[in-house]
């Protein structure tokens, strides 16, 4: 898989003139408004395995430059805390508390001081799973626990954060009535199968729940991207914005401008 999808594919895409790999971005590739990348896809370069990390090491900056990566921290969970108006999560984010530990503490009645890696891992799986409308079956697979335990975890989660259940229900009802949902900026994302039956309905409902969150994250990073070239020019900085990987931007920056560029891009 690594060889066919990445190694061979990337080799075939080296531009004869620039000696570089260039991707194409598609603005209409995902219904939520996320950018997608093709020929080759540079948004899914592997990093988890040792072999994957070695493939990632093939991407280097030109001489005298470094690659600078900046990303939004847990942006979709932050957007969920805002859209669903969840006081405890808002406070945790404002105070830079470990959000998965905070969730675990509230769900499992464990103090932050007594938090174990295993309890935090379960809360993390539920936090991210809920954004995508995960089922008890899906969560059971992720955590390698029984479906009954997974169902209890999800029920406990909604008891602790009833605002999330309210958000999910109201979003599905809105989509059923109007045939679309909206991002925080009012961009419409259509939900054509929302009134279907069976598996199709379940998939459409999960998509409707996730779309305002993922779509708002896409809107936010694009708003930043639009401002960046002008601000780089105004500050006489030579960085190039190379890649967008959903909640992350990657720049190629002269070695002597790393700190200034990093600080400025972080503000934007």
């Amino acid at each position: 898989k690594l060889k066919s999808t990445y190694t061979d594919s990337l080799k075939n895409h080296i531009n004869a003139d620039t000696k570089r790999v260039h991707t194409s971005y598609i603005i209409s590739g995902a219904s939520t408004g996320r950018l997608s990348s093709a020929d080759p896809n540079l948004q899914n370069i592997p990093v988890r395995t040792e072999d994957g990390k070695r493939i990632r090491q093939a991407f280097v900056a030109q001489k005298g430059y470094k690659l600078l990566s900046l990303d939004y921290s847990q942006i979709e969970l932050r957007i969920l805390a805002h859209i669903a108006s969840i006081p405890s999560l808002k406070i945790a984010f404002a105070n830079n508390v470990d959000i998965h530990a905070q969730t675990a503490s509230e769900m499992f009645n464990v103090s932050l001081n007594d938090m174990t890696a295993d309890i935090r891992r379960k809360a993390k799986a539920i936090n991210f799973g809920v954004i995508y409308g995960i089922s008890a079956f899906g969560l059971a697979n992720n955590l390698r626990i029984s479906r009954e335990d997974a169902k209890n975890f999800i029920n406990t989660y909604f008891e602790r954060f009833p605002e999330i259940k309210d958000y999910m229900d109201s979003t599905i009802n809105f989509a059923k009535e109007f045939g679309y949902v909206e991002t925080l900026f009012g961009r419409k994302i259509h939900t054509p199968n929302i009134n279907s039956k069976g598996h199709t309905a379940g998939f459409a409902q999960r998509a409707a729940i996730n779309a305002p969150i993922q779509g708002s994250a896409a809107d936010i990073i694009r708003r930043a991207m639009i401002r960046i070239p002008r601000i780089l020019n105004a500050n006489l900085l030579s960085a190039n914005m190379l890649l967008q990987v959903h909640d992350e931007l990657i720049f190629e920056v002269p070695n002597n401008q790393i700190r200034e560029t990093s600080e400025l891009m972080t503000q934007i």
Side-chain angles (χ1 to χ4, degrees), residues 72-83:
Y72 286 116
S73 169
Q74 299 176 346
I75 187 167
E76 292 192 356
L77 281 175
R78 290 175 193 271
I79 290 168
L80 176 63
H82 173 77
I83 289 182

Side-chain angles (χ1 to χ4, degrees), residues 224-255:
M225 291 168 74
I226 288 165
R227 295 169 61 200
I228 282 168
R230 178 169 39 85
I231 290 170
L232 286 172
N233 288 337
N235 287 273
L236 305 178
L237 294 170
S238 305
N240 286 315
M241 183 164 49
L242 289 189
L243 292 172
Q244 188 249 55
V245 188
H246 305 312
D247 58 358
E248 173 187 19
L249 293 177
I250 298 170
F251 301 85
E252 190 171 42
V253 187
N255 288 336

Side-chain angles (χ1 to χ4, degrees), residues 117-252:
D118 187 55
I119 295 173
R120 183 184 179 279
R121 183 178 64 85
K122 287 174 181 170
K124 183 177 180 179
I126 301 169
N127 268 338
F128 286 126
V130 162
I131 293 175
Y132 297 100
I134 200 166
S135 64
F137 177 77
L139 186 63
N141 278 354
N142 285 359
L143 292 177
R144 292 188 173 85
I145 56 177
S146 72
R147 204 180 302 186
E148 188 62 31
D149 284 346
K151 189 167 179 288
N152 289 337
F153 280 165
I154 291 171
N155 290 341
T156 303
Y157 191 89
F158 287 139
E159 283 171 19
R160 290 288 185 274
F161 303 108
E163 301 91 348
I164 295 179
K165 189 77 172 76
D166 292 343
Y167 160 74
M168 293 166 83
D169 292 342
S170 64
T171 302
I172 289 168
N173 290 336
F174 182 93
K176 283 182 173 178
E177 185 174 350
F178 296 103
Y180 67 87
V181 292
E182 287 185 336
T183 70
L184 285 171
F185 301 91
R187 184 166 55 80
K188 292 179 181 177
I189 299 167
H190 294 277
T191 55
N193 297 316
I194 196 71
N195 289 307
S196 306
K197 299 281 186 260
H199 286 306
T200 308
F203 181 81
Q205 288 178 12
R206 288 193 294 277
I209 291 163
N210 177 244
I213 300 167
Q214 192 179 102
S216 295
D219 291 348
I220 288 167
I221 198 161
R222 278 213 291 267
R223 278 168 146 73
M225 291 168 74
I226 288 165
R227 295 169 61 200
I228 282 168
R230 178 169 39 85
I231 290 170
L232 286 172
N233 288 337
N235 287 273
L236 305 178
L237 294 170
S238 305
N240 286 315
M241 183 164 49
L242 289 189
L243 292 172
Q244 188 249 55
V245 188
H246 305 312
D247 58 358
E248 173 187 19
L249 293 177
I250 298 170
F251 301 85
E252 190 171 42

